Amino acid sequence: MKVAINSLLIAAVAATVSAEVWKITSLDKGTRENTCSRQVQACQNNCGGPTLAPMAFCNATTMAWGCGCKNNTPNMEVWNWPVPAADCSGSLNVCKNNCSTKNNTSECFINCTKTHMCNTEDAPVSYTSSSDIAVEPKYVGPAVSYKGDKLGDLNDGNNRDNLSPSSSGTSDPKTASDGSHKSTTDDDSSATRLQLAGTAVFAALAAALSF
C-alpha cells in the first residue's frame, strides 16, 4: 500500500512540474559571447586564417553562425563546431532536468544520454547555422542525427510532433533549415568561392527522408 501511495505521489508531483524548454539563446550573455568567439576562431583556423574566412560569423544574440572559406570547403565535422556542440550540450542538460516530470527518472536519464551523443555523428542535428549573421536560425527541427537516424524524444521541451525531415520548409534536403548555402561565381579563377559548412546536416536529412 505504501509503495502504491508513493508512486501516486511521485506521479502527482511530476504532473505539476512544468517542463523546461531549451533554446540556445537562453545561455547567459558571457557564455554566448565566448561560444561565438570560439566559433569564429575555429572557422578562421579551418580556412587558413582570417583573410581566408570571409564568411566566418556568429551572432552572440541569436547564435546564428556560418563558416565559409575563400579557397576551400570547411572540413570540420559540423557536430564539433562550438555552436552546434553547445546546442547539443544545452539540450542534453534540459532533457535531464525534465526527467523530474517523468515517472521513471532513471530510464529518462538513460534515454537522454542515448539521444544526445554530443560531438559525434549520432548527435541531434542543430538548427543554428544561418546564411547570414542577420538571419535568425530556425532553432527547432526534426529529431534526426547527423548520421541520418531518427531519434527518440529529445525531452528538451520543444514540440516536434508535427515535424519530419520533409517539413523543414523545402522538399529538397540540400536547402534545409540549417541555413547553409554555397555561393559560387561563374569565374572561379578570379572570384571568391564561399562554401559553407553543413553538408553533414544535408546528408542527415536526406538519409532520414529515405526511411
Side-chain angles (χ1 to χ4, degrees), residues 8-50:
L8 289 173
L9 287 174
I10 292 173
V13 171
T16 59
V17 176
S18 297
E20 186 178 347
V21 179
W22 166 250
K23 190 175 182 181
I24 194 169
T25 54
S26 63
L27 293 172
D28 65 79
K29 182 180 179 182
T31 301
R32 295 198 311 272
E33 290 177 344
N34 178 268
T35 303
C36 266
S37 177
R38 291 188 294 110
Q39 174 63 50
V40 172
Q41 185 175 28
C43 177
Q44 292 175 342
N45 291 341
N46 195 268
C47 292

PDB file of all heavy atoms in Angstrom, residues 8-50:
ATOM      1  N   LEU A   8       1.893   7.126  -6.518  1.00  0.00           N
ATOM      2  CA  LEU A   8       0.891   8.125  -6.864  1.00  0.00           C
ATOM      3  C   LEU A   8       1.382   9.533  -6.554  1.00  0.00           C
ATOM      4  O   LEU A   8       1.138  10.475  -7.315  1.00  0.00           O
ATOM      5  CB  LEU A   8      -0.413   7.839  -6.108  1.00  0.00           C
ATOM      6  CG  LEU A   8      -1.210   6.617  -6.569  1.00  0.00           C
ATOM      7  CD1 LEU A   8      -2.368   6.360  -5.614  1.00  0.00           C
ATOM      8  CD2 LEU A   8      -1.719   6.826  -7.988  1.00  0.00           C
ATOM      9  N   LEU A   9       2.091   9.674  -5.444  1.00  0.00           N
ATOM     10  CA  LEU A   9       2.619  10.976  -5.074  1.00  0.00           C
ATOM     11  C   LEU A   9       3.663  11.449  -6.069  1.00  0.00           C
ATOM     12  O   LEU A   9       3.676  12.622  -6.471  1.00  0.00           O
ATOM     13  CB  LEU A   9       3.233  10.916  -3.666  1.00  0.00           C
ATOM     14  CG  LEU A   9       2.251  10.816  -2.502  1.00  0.00           C
ATOM     15  CD1 LEU A   9       3.003  10.610  -1.195  1.00  0.00           C
ATOM     16  CD2 LEU A   9       1.384  12.074  -2.420  1.00  0.00           C
ATOM     17  N   ILE A  10       4.544  10.536  -6.500  1.00  0.00           N
ATOM     18  CA  ILE A  10       5.564  10.871  -7.495  1.00  0.00           C
ATOM     19  C   ILE A  10       4.914  11.291  -8.799  1.00  0.00           C
ATOM     20  O   ILE A  10       5.310  12.276  -9.430  1.00  0.00           O
ATOM     21  CB  ILE A  10       6.503   9.673  -7.733  1.00  0.00           C
ATOM     22  CG1 ILE A  10       7.337   9.413  -6.474  1.00  0.00           C
ATOM     23  CG2 ILE A  10       7.412   9.929  -8.935  1.00  0.00           C
ATOM     24  CD1 ILE A  10       8.175   8.150  -6.549  1.00  0.00           C
ATOM     25  N   ALA A  11       3.887  10.551  -9.204  1.00  0.00           N
ATOM     26  CA  ALA A  11       3.189  10.882 -10.440  1.00  0.00           C
ATOM     27  C   ALA A  11       2.508  12.242 -10.348  1.00  0.00           C
ATOM     28  O   ALA A  11       2.491  13.026 -11.296  1.00  0.00           O
ATOM     29  CB  ALA A  11       2.155   9.799 -10.760  1.00  0.00           C
ATOM     30  N   ALA A  12       1.934  12.538  -9.171  1.00  0.00           N
ATOM     31  CA  ALA A  12       1.248  13.806  -8.979  1.00  0.00           C
ATOM     32  C   ALA A  12       2.223  14.974  -9.027  1.00  0.00           C
ATOM     33  O   ALA A  12       1.957  16.015  -9.637  1.00  0.00           O
ATOM     34  CB  ALA A  12       0.507  13.802  -7.639  1.00  0.00           C
ATOM     35  N   VAL A  13       3.383  14.794  -8.399  1.00  0.00           N
ATOM     36  CA  VAL A  13       4.399  15.850  -8.416  1.00  0.00           C
ATOM     37  C   VAL A  13       4.909  16.072  -9.829  1.00  0.00           C
ATOM     38  O   VAL A  13       5.072  17.199 -10.285  1.00  0.00           O
ATOM     39  CB  VAL A  13       5.576  15.481  -7.477  1.00  0.00           C
ATOM     40  CG1 VAL A  13       6.731  16.462  -7.671  1.00  0.00           C
ATOM     41  CG2 VAL A  13       5.113  15.488  -6.026  1.00  0.00           C
ATOM     42  N   ALA A  14       5.169  14.965 -10.537  1.00  0.00           N
ATOM     43  CA  ALA A  14       5.663  15.064 -11.911  1.00  0.00           C
ATOM     44  C   ALA A  14       4.687  15.804 -12.801  1.00  0.00           C
ATOM     45  O   ALA A  14       5.062  16.583 -13.672  1.00  0.00           O
ATOM     46  CB  ALA A  14       5.939  13.662 -12.479  1.00  0.00           C
ATOM     47  N   ALA A  15       3.410  15.572 -12.581  1.00  0.00           N
ATOM     48  CA  ALA A  15       2.381  16.200 -13.407  1.00  0.00           C
ATOM     49  C   ALA A  15       2.287  17.702 -13.180  1.00  0.00           C
ATOM     50  O   ALA A  15       1.839  18.447 -14.043  1.00  0.00           O
ATOM     51  CB  ALA A  15       1.030  15.547 -13.137  1.00  0.00           C
ATOM     52  N   THR A  16       2.703  18.146 -11.997  1.00  0.00           N
ATOM     53  CA  THR A  16       2.584  19.568 -11.681  1.00  0.00           C
ATOM     54  C   THR A  16       3.843  20.355 -12.021  1.00  0.00           C
ATOM     55  O   THR A  16       3.840  21.580 -11.958  1.00  0.00           O
ATOM     56  CB  THR A  16       2.282  19.759 -10.176  1.00  0.00           C
ATOM     57  OG1 THR A  16       3.335  19.173  -9.398  1.00  0.00           O
ATOM     58  CG2 THR A  16       0.958  19.098  -9.814  1.00  0.00           C
ATOM     59  N   VAL A  17       4.934  19.670 -12.368  1.00  0.00           N
ATOM     60  CA  VAL A  17       6.177  20.355 -12.713  1.00  0.00           C
ATOM     61  C   VAL A  17       6.186  20.681 -14.200  1.00  0.00           C
ATOM     62  O   VAL A  17       5.997  19.809 -15.036  1.00  0.00           O
ATOM     63  CB  VAL A  17       7.394  19.462 -12.373  1.00  0.00           C
ATOM     64  CG1 VAL A  17       8.681  20.144 -12.817  1.00  0.00           C
ATOM     65  CG2 VAL A  17       7.434  19.176 -10.878  1.00  0.00           C
ATOM     66  N   SER A  18       6.406  21.934 -14.520  1.00  0.00           N
ATOM     67  CA  SER A  18       6.424  22.353 -15.916  1.00  0.00           C
ATOM     68  C   SER A  18       7.763  21.983 -16.544  1.00  0.00           C
ATOM     69  O   SER A  18       8.825  22.168 -15.930  1.00  0.00           O
ATOM     70  CB  SER A  18       6.206  23.860 -16.019  1.00  0.00           C
ATOM     71  OG  SER A  18       4.935  24.211 -15.513  1.00  0.00           O
ATOM     72  N   ALA A  19       7.713  21.485 -17.753  1.00  0.00           N
ATOM     73  CA  ALA A  19       8.928  21.103 -18.448  1.00  0.00           C
ATOM     74  C   ALA A  19       9.708  22.343 -18.871  1.00  0.00           C
ATOM     75  O   ALA A  19       9.142  23.341 -19.314  1.00  0.00           O
ATOM     76  CB  ALA A  19       8.584  20.258 -19.670  1.00  0.00           C
ATOM     77  N   GLU A  20      11.003  22.278 -18.713  1.00  0.00           N
ATOM     78  CA  GLU A  20      11.882  23.362 -19.146  1.00  0.00           C
ATOM     79  C   GLU A  20      12.028  23.292 -20.661  1.00  0.00           C
ATOM     80  O   GLU A  20      12.047  22.212 -21.243  1.00  0.00           O
ATOM     81  CB  GLU A  20      13.242  23.188 -18.468  1.00  0.00           C
ATOM     82  CG  GLU A  20      14.229  24.313 -18.713  1.00  0.00           C
ATOM     83  CD  GLU A  20      15.545  24.093 -17.975  1.00  0.00           C
ATOM     84  OE1 GLU A  20      15.588  23.205 -17.087  1.00  0.00           O
ATOM     85  OE2 GLU A  20      16.523  24.795 -18.297  1.00  0.00           O
ATOM     86  N   VAL A  21      12.110  24.434 -21.317  1.00  0.00           N
ATOM     87  CA  VAL A  21      12.239  24.476 -22.775  1.00  0.00           C
ATOM     88  C   VAL A  21      13.635  24.963 -23.143  1.00  0.00           C
ATOM     89  O   VAL A  21      14.066  26.034 -22.687  1.00  0.00           O
ATOM     90  CB  VAL A  21      11.179  25.399 -23.414  1.00  0.00           C
ATOM     91  CG1 VAL A  21      11.360  25.443 -24.937  1.00  0.00           C
ATOM     92  CG2 VAL A  21       9.773  24.926 -23.057  1.00  0.00           C
ATOM     93  N   TRP A  22      14.332  24.183 -23.946  1.00  0.00           N
ATOM     94  CA  TRP A  22      15.689  24.566 -24.334  1.00  0.00           C
ATOM     95  C   TRP A  22      15.710  25.441 -25.583  1.00  0.00           C
ATOM     96  O   TRP A  22      15.034  25.179 -26.569  1.00  0.00           O
ATOM     97  CB  TRP A  22      16.555  23.338 -24.593  1.00  0.00           C
ATOM     98  CG  TRP A  22      17.830  23.689 -25.318  1.00  0.00           C
ATOM     99  CD1 TRP A  22      18.163  23.379 -26.610  1.00  0.00           C
ATOM    100  CD2 TRP A  22      18.926  24.454 -24.795  1.00  0.00           C
ATOM    101  NE1 TRP A  22      19.398  23.885 -26.918  1.00  0.00           N
ATOM    102  CE2 TRP A  22      19.890  24.565 -25.813  1.00  0.00           C
ATOM    103  CE3 TRP A  22      19.176  25.065 -23.562  1.00  0.00           C
ATOM    104  CZ2 TRP A  22      21.089  25.245 -25.649  1.00  0.00           C
ATOM    105  CZ3 TRP A  22      20.373  25.750 -23.389  1.00  0.00           C
ATOM    106  CH2 TRP A  22      21.310  25.830 -24.414  1.00  0.00           C
ATOM    107  N   LYS A  23      16.502  26.476 -25.532  1.00  0.00           N
ATOM    108  CA  LYS A  23      16.819  27.301 -26.689  1.00  0.00           C
ATOM    109  C   LYS A  23      18.200  27.876 -26.416  1.00  0.00           C
ATOM    110  O   LYS A  23      18.462  28.387 -25.330  1.00  0.00           O
ATOM    111  CB  LYS A  23      15.793  28.426 -26.884  1.00  0.00           C
ATOM    112  CG  LYS A  23      15.947  29.165 -28.206  1.00  0.00           C
ATOM    113  CD  LYS A  23      14.823  30.184 -28.397  1.00  0.00           C
ATOM    114  CE  LYS A  23      14.944  30.898 -29.730  1.00  0.00           C
ATOM    115  NZ  LYS A  23      13.865  31.907 -29.932  1.00  0.00           N
ATOM    116  N   ILE A  24      19.086  27.793 -27.372  1.00  0.00           N
ATOM    117  CA  ILE A  24      20.473  28.172 -27.140  1.00  0.00           C
ATOM    118  C   ILE A  24      20.620  29.626 -26.715  1.00  0.00           C
ATOM    119  O   ILE A  24      21.574  29.986 -26.020  1.00  0.00           O
ATOM    120  CB  ILE A  24      21.333  27.877 -28.391  1.00  0.00           C
ATOM    121  CG1 ILE A  24      22.825  27.940 -28.023  1.00  0.00           C
ATOM    122  CG2 ILE A  24      20.955  28.792 -29.542  1.00  0.00           C
ATOM    123  CD1 ILE A  24      23.746  27.408 -29.095  1.00  0.00           C
ATOM    124  N   THR A  25      19.673  30.465 -27.087  1.00  0.00           N
ATOM    125  CA  THR A  25      19.728  31.876 -26.692  1.00  0.00           C
ATOM    126  C   THR A  25      19.441  32.074 -25.207  1.00  0.00           C
ATOM    127  O   THR A  25      19.593  33.180 -24.693  1.00  0.00           O
ATOM    128  CB  THR A  25      18.728  32.717 -27.511  1.00  0.00           C
ATOM    129  OG1 THR A  25      17.418  32.129 -27.406  1.00  0.00           O
ATOM    130  CG2 THR A  25      19.124  32.773 -28.976  1.00  0.00           C
ATOM    131  N   SER A  26      19.042  30.997 -24.515  1.00  0.00           N
ATOM    132  CA  SER A  26      18.806  31.105 -23.075  1.00  0.00           C
ATOM    133  C   SER A  26      20.120  31.070 -22.295  1.00  0.00           C
ATOM    134  O   SER A  26      20.137  31.319 -21.083  1.00  0.00           O
ATOM    135  CB  SER A  26      17.883  29.986 -22.596  1.00  0.00           C
ATOM    136  OG  SER A  26      18.484  28.710 -22.788  1.00  0.00           O
ATOM    137  N   LEU A  27      21.229  30.763 -22.965  1.00  0.00           N
ATOM    138  CA  LEU A  27      22.532  30.825 -22.315  1.00  0.00           C
ATOM    139  C   LEU A  27      22.823  32.267 -21.912  1.00  0.00           C
ATOM    140  O   LEU A  27      22.388  33.211 -22.583  1.00  0.00           O
ATOM    141  CB  LEU A  27      23.634  30.329 -23.269  1.00  0.00           C
ATOM    142  CG  LEU A  27      23.615  28.847 -23.656  1.00  0.00           C
ATOM    143  CD1 LEU A  27      24.649  28.583 -24.747  1.00  0.00           C
ATOM    144  CD2 LEU A  27      23.882  27.971 -22.436  1.00  0.00           C
ATOM    145  N   ASP A  28      23.563  32.458 -20.835  1.00  0.00           N
ATOM    146  CA  ASP A  28      23.856  33.822 -20.409  1.00  0.00           C
ATOM    147  C   ASP A  28      24.755  34.520 -21.429  1.00  0.00           C
ATOM    148  O   ASP A  28      25.435  33.879 -22.241  1.00  0.00           O
ATOM    149  CB  ASP A  28      24.516  33.819 -19.026  1.00  0.00           C
ATOM    150  CG  ASP A  28      25.876  33.143 -19.021  1.00  0.00           C
ATOM    151  OD1 ASP A  28      26.859  33.769 -19.431  1.00  0.00           O
ATOM    152  OD2 ASP A  28      25.938  31.960 -18.631  1.00  0.00           O
ATOM    153  N   LYS A  29      24.756  35.818 -21.398  1.00  0.00           N
ATOM    154  CA  LYS A  29      25.457  36.631 -22.397  1.00  0.00           C
ATOM    155  C   LYS A  29      26.933  36.278 -22.496  1.00  0.00           C
ATOM    156  O   LYS A  29      27.483  36.153 -23.601  1.00  0.00           O
ATOM    157  CB  LYS A  29      25.297  38.118 -22.058  1.00  0.00           C
ATOM    158  CG  LYS A  29      25.955  39.048 -23.072  1.00  0.00           C
ATOM    159  CD  LYS A  29      25.759  40.508 -22.678  1.00  0.00           C
ATOM    160  CE  LYS A  29      26.430  41.441 -23.681  1.00  0.00           C
ATOM    161  NZ  LYS A  29      26.284  42.859 -23.284  1.00  0.00           N
ATOM    162  N   GLY A  30      27.587  36.112 -21.354  1.00  0.00           N
ATOM    163  CA  GLY A  30      29.006  35.787 -21.358  1.00  0.00           C
ATOM    164  C   GLY A  30      29.295  34.477 -22.058  1.00  0.00           C
ATOM    165  O   GLY A  30      30.267  34.367 -22.829  1.00  0.00           O
ATOM    166  N   THR A  31      28.457  33.467 -21.810  1.00  0.00           N
ATOM    167  CA  THR A  31      28.642  32.156 -22.443  1.00  0.00           C
ATOM    168  C   THR A  31      28.397  32.240 -23.941  1.00  0.00           C
ATOM    169  O   THR A  31      29.127  31.644 -24.738  1.00  0.00           O
ATOM    170  CB  THR A  31      27.692  31.116 -21.813  1.00  0.00           C
ATOM    171  OG1 THR A  31      27.965  31.013 -20.410  1.00  0.00           O
ATOM    172  CG2 THR A  31      27.876  29.749 -22.460  1.00  0.00           C
ATOM    173  N   ARG A  32      27.363  33.000 -24.329  1.00  0.00           N
ATOM    174  CA  ARG A  32      27.076  33.159 -25.763  1.00  0.00           C
ATOM    175  C   ARG A  32      28.238  33.842 -26.477  1.00  0.00           C
ATOM    176  O   ARG A  32      28.654  33.428 -27.562  1.00  0.00           O
ATOM    177  CB  ARG A  32      25.789  33.954 -25.974  1.00  0.00           C
ATOM    178  CG  ARG A  32      24.519  33.271 -25.469  1.00  0.00           C
ATOM    179  CD  ARG A  32      23.255  33.882 -26.077  1.00  0.00           C
ATOM    180  NE  ARG A  32      23.225  35.326 -26.001  1.00  0.00           N
ATOM    181  CZ  ARG A  32      22.747  36.028 -24.969  1.00  0.00           C
ATOM    182  NH1 ARG A  32      22.267  35.385 -23.910  1.00  0.00           N
ATOM    183  NH2 ARG A  32      22.729  37.354 -24.990  1.00  0.00           N
ATOM    184  N   GLU A  33      28.767  34.885 -25.871  1.00  0.00           N
ATOM    185  CA  GLU A  33      29.872  35.623 -26.490  1.00  0.00           C
ATOM    186  C   GLU A  33      31.118  34.752 -26.590  1.00  0.00           C
ATOM    187  O   GLU A  33      31.824  34.782 -27.607  1.00  0.00           O
ATOM    188  CB  GLU A  33      30.158  36.896 -25.695  1.00  0.00           C
ATOM    189  CG  GLU A  33      29.062  37.949 -25.813  1.00  0.00           C
ATOM    190  CD  GLU A  33      29.327  39.181 -24.971  1.00  0.00           C
ATOM    191  OE1 GLU A  33      30.191  39.112 -24.051  1.00  0.00           O
ATOM    192  OE2 GLU A  33      28.688  40.225 -25.215  1.00  0.00           O
ATOM    193  N   ASN A  34      31.398  33.979 -25.557  1.00  0.00           N
ATOM    194  CA  ASN A  34      32.556  33.096 -25.573  1.00  0.00           C
ATOM    195  C   ASN A  34      32.413  32.012 -26.625  1.00  0.00           C
ATOM    196  O   ASN A  34      33.361  31.700 -27.357  1.00  0.00           O
ATOM    197  CB  ASN A  34      32.748  32.472 -24.184  1.00  0.00           C
ATOM    198  CG  ASN A  34      33.909  31.488 -24.140  1.00  0.00           C
ATOM    199  OD1 ASN A  34      33.733  30.284 -24.345  1.00  0.00           O
ATOM    200  ND2 ASN A  34      35.102  31.994 -23.884  1.00  0.00           N
ATOM    201  N   THR A  35      31.214  31.440 -26.716  1.00  0.00           N
ATOM    202  CA  THR A  35      30.954  30.394 -27.710  1.00  0.00           C
ATOM    203  C   THR A  35      31.097  30.945 -29.117  1.00  0.00           C
ATOM    204  O   THR A  35      31.682  30.311 -29.999  1.00  0.00           O
ATOM    205  CB  THR A  35      29.546  29.798 -27.519  1.00  0.00           C
ATOM    206  OG1 THR A  35      29.421  29.281 -26.191  1.00  0.00           O
ATOM    207  CG2 THR A  35      29.284  28.673 -28.517  1.00  0.00           C
ATOM    208  N   CYS A  36      30.569  32.153 -29.340  1.00  0.00           N
ATOM    209  CA  CYS A  36      30.665  32.781 -30.660  1.00  0.00           C
ATOM    210  C   CYS A  36      32.112  33.096 -31.015  1.00  0.00           C
ATOM    211  O   CYS A  36      32.534  32.925 -32.163  1.00  0.00           O
ATOM    212  CB  CYS A  36      29.822  34.060 -30.695  1.00  0.00           C
ATOM    213  SG  CYS A  36      28.149  33.800 -31.347  1.00  0.00           S
ATOM    214  N   SER A  37      32.865  33.559 -30.044  1.00  0.00           N
ATOM    215  CA  SER A  37      34.276  33.860 -30.284  1.00  0.00           C
ATOM    216  C   SER A  37      35.029  32.608 -30.704  1.00  0.00           C
ATOM    217  O   SER A  37      35.839  32.625 -31.656  1.00  0.00           O
ATOM    218  CB  SER A  37      34.899  34.453 -29.015  1.00  0.00           C
ATOM    219  OG  SER A  37      36.283  34.695 -29.197  1.00  0.00           O
ATOM    220  N   ARG A  38      34.749  31.495 -30.025  1.00  0.00           N
ATOM    221  CA  ARG A  38      35.396  30.232 -30.369  1.00  0.00           C
ATOM    222  C   ARG A  38      34.936  29.722 -31.724  1.00  0.00           C
ATOM    223  O   ARG A  38      35.704  29.111 -32.479  1.00  0.00           O
ATOM    224  CB  ARG A  38      35.126  29.191 -29.283  1.00  0.00           C
ATOM    225  CG  ARG A  38      35.828  29.493 -27.968  1.00  0.00           C
ATOM    226  CD  ARG A  38      35.709  28.351 -26.961  1.00  0.00           C
ATOM    227  NE  ARG A  38      34.334  28.133 -26.519  1.00  0.00           N
ATOM    228  CZ  ARG A  38      33.606  27.093 -26.843  1.00  0.00           C
ATOM    229  NH1 ARG A  38      34.096  26.153 -27.649  1.00  0.00           N
ATOM    230  NH2 ARG A  38      32.377  26.956 -26.379  1.00  0.00           N
ATOM    231  N   GLN A  39      33.672  29.995 -32.048  1.00  0.00           N
ATOM    232  CA  GLN A  39      33.124  29.571 -33.327  1.00  0.00           C
ATOM    233  C   GLN A  39      33.837  30.278 -34.484  1.00  0.00           C
ATOM    234  O   GLN A  39      34.269  29.643 -35.449  1.00  0.00           O
ATOM    235  CB  GLN A  39      31.620  29.876 -33.386  1.00  0.00           C
ATOM    236  CG  GLN A  39      30.961  29.611 -34.725  1.00  0.00           C
ATOM    237  CD  GLN A  39      31.001  28.159 -35.119  1.00  0.00           C
ATOM    238  OE1 GLN A  39      30.634  27.290 -34.345  1.00  0.00           O
ATOM    239  NE2 GLN A  39      31.463  27.882 -36.331  1.00  0.00           N
ATOM    240  N   VAL A  40      33.963  31.584 -34.383  1.00  0.00           N
ATOM    241  CA  VAL A  40      34.624  32.364 -35.437  1.00  0.00           C
ATOM    242  C   VAL A  40      36.094  31.968 -35.555  1.00  0.00           C
ATOM    243  O   VAL A  40      36.621  31.796 -36.658  1.00  0.00           O
ATOM    244  CB  VAL A  40      34.489  33.876 -35.161  1.00  0.00           C
ATOM    245  CG1 VAL A  40      35.343  34.681 -36.146  1.00  0.00           C
ATOM    246  CG2 VAL A  40      33.027  34.310 -35.265  1.00  0.00           C
ATOM    247  N   GLN A  41      36.761  31.811 -34.419  1.00  0.00           N
ATOM    248  CA  GLN A  41      38.171  31.442 -34.434  1.00  0.00           C
ATOM    249  C   GLN A  41      38.371  30.060 -35.053  1.00  0.00           C
ATOM    250  O   GLN A  41      39.316  29.840 -35.825  1.00  0.00           O
ATOM    251  CB  GLN A  41      38.738  31.455 -33.017  1.00  0.00           C
ATOM    252  CG  GLN A  41      40.242  31.188 -32.960  1.00  0.00           C
ATOM    253  CD  GLN A  41      40.802  31.326 -31.556  1.00  0.00           C
ATOM    254  OE1 GLN A  41      40.097  31.121 -30.565  1.00  0.00           O
ATOM    255  NE2 GLN A  41      42.074  31.670 -31.457  1.00  0.00           N
ATOM    256  N   ALA A  42      37.488  29.127 -34.731  1.00  0.00           N
ATOM    257  CA  ALA A  42      37.581  27.770 -35.290  1.00  0.00           C
ATOM    258  C   ALA A  42      37.432  27.810 -36.808  1.00  0.00           C
ATOM    259  O   ALA A  42      38.146  27.107 -37.536  1.00  0.00           O
ATOM    260  CB  ALA A  42      36.520  26.874 -34.672  1.00  0.00           C
ATOM    261  N   CYS A  43      36.506  28.631 -37.277  1.00  0.00           N
ATOM    262  CA  CYS A  43      36.286  28.746 -38.724  1.00  0.00           C
ATOM    263  C   CYS A  43      37.516  29.356 -39.396  1.00  0.00           C
ATOM    264  O   CYS A  43      37.982  28.871 -40.428  1.00  0.00           O
ATOM    265  CB  CYS A  43      35.047  29.595 -38.999  1.00  0.00           C
ATOM    266  SG  CYS A  43      34.744  29.872 -40.767  1.00  0.00           S
ATOM    267  N   GLN A  44      38.044  30.429 -38.821  1.00  0.00           N
ATOM    268  CA  GLN A  44      39.215  31.081 -39.396  1.00  0.00           C
ATOM    269  C   GLN A  44      40.414  30.138 -39.444  1.00  0.00           C
ATOM    270  O   GLN A  44      41.140  30.093 -40.442  1.00  0.00           O
ATOM    271  CB  GLN A  44      39.553  32.337 -38.593  1.00  0.00           C
ATOM    272  CG  GLN A  44      38.515  33.439 -38.725  1.00  0.00           C
ATOM    273  CD  GLN A  44      38.799  34.632 -37.827  1.00  0.00           C
ATOM    274  OE1 GLN A  44      39.564  34.539 -36.858  1.00  0.00           O
ATOM    275  NE2 GLN A  44      38.172  35.768 -38.122  1.00  0.00           N
ATOM    276  N   ASN A  45      40.601  29.382 -38.382  1.00  0.00           N
ATOM    277  CA  ASN A  45      41.700  28.411 -38.353  1.00  0.00           C
ATOM    278  C   ASN A  45      41.499  27.337 -39.411  1.00  0.00           C
ATOM    279  O   ASN A  45      42.449  26.892 -40.068  1.00  0.00           O
ATOM    280  CB  ASN A  45      41.812  27.762 -36.974  1.00  0.00           C
ATOM    281  CG  ASN A  45      42.295  28.723 -35.908  1.00  0.00           C
ATOM    282  OD1 ASN A  45      42.882  29.762 -36.207  1.00  0.00           O
ATOM    283  ND2 ASN A  45      42.046  28.394 -34.647  1.00  0.00           N
ATOM    284  N   ASN A  46      40.252  26.903 -39.575  1.00  0.00           N
ATOM    285  CA  ASN A  46      39.940  25.855 -40.534  1.00  0.00           C
ATOM    286  C   ASN A  46      40.168  26.329 -41.966  1.00  0.00           C
ATOM    287  O   ASN A  46      40.550  25.541 -42.841  1.00  0.00           O
ATOM    288  CB  ASN A  46      38.489  25.400 -40.353  1.00  0.00           C
ATOM    289  CG  ASN A  46      38.186  24.096 -41.055  1.00  0.00           C
ATOM    290  OD1 ASN A  46      37.749  24.093 -42.192  1.00  0.00           O
ATOM    291  ND2 ASN A  46      38.417  22.979 -40.374  1.00  0.00           N
ATOM    292  N   CYS A  47      39.951  27.617 -42.183  1.00  0.00           N
ATOM    293  CA  CYS A  47      40.100  28.179 -43.534  1.00  0.00           C
ATOM    294  C   CYS A  47      41.541  28.560 -43.849  1.00  0.00           C
ATOM    295  O   CYS A  47      41.876  28.807 -45.010  1.00  0.00           O
ATOM    296  CB  CYS A  47      39.218  29.417 -43.685  1.00  0.00           C
ATOM    297  SG  CYS A  47      37.435  29.070 -43.681  1.00  0.00           S
ATOM    298  N   GLY A  48      42.382  28.647 -42.817  1.00  0.00           N
ATOM    299  CA  GLY A  48      43.776  29.012 -43.044  1.00  0.00           C
ATOM    300  C   GLY A  48      44.129  30.414 -42.616  1.00  0.00           C
ATOM    301  O   GLY A  48      45.219  30.913 -42.898  1.00  0.00           O
ATOM    302  N   GLY A  49      43.198  31.087 -41.922  1.00  0.00           N
ATOM    303  CA  GLY A  49      43.464  32.437 -41.438  1.00  0.00           C
ATOM    304  C   GLY A  49      42.271  33.343 -41.646  1.00  0.00           C
ATOM    305  O   GLY A  49      41.386  33.055 -42.466  1.00  0.00           O
ATOM    306  N   PRO A  50      42.212  34.468 -40.921  1.00  0.00           N
ATOM    307  CA  PRO A  50      41.071  35.401 -41.006  1.00  0.00           C
ATOM    308  C   PRO A  50      40.784  35.909 -42.416  1.00  0.00           C
ATOM    309  O   PRO A  50      39.624  36.021 -42.815  1.00  0.00           O
ATOM    310  CB  PRO A  50      41.492  36.539 -40.078  1.00  0.00           C
ATOM    311  CG  PRO A  50      42.432  35.904 -39.114  1.00  0.00           C
ATOM    312  CD  PRO A  50      43.193  34.895 -39.914  1.00  0.00           C
TER     313      PRO A  50
END
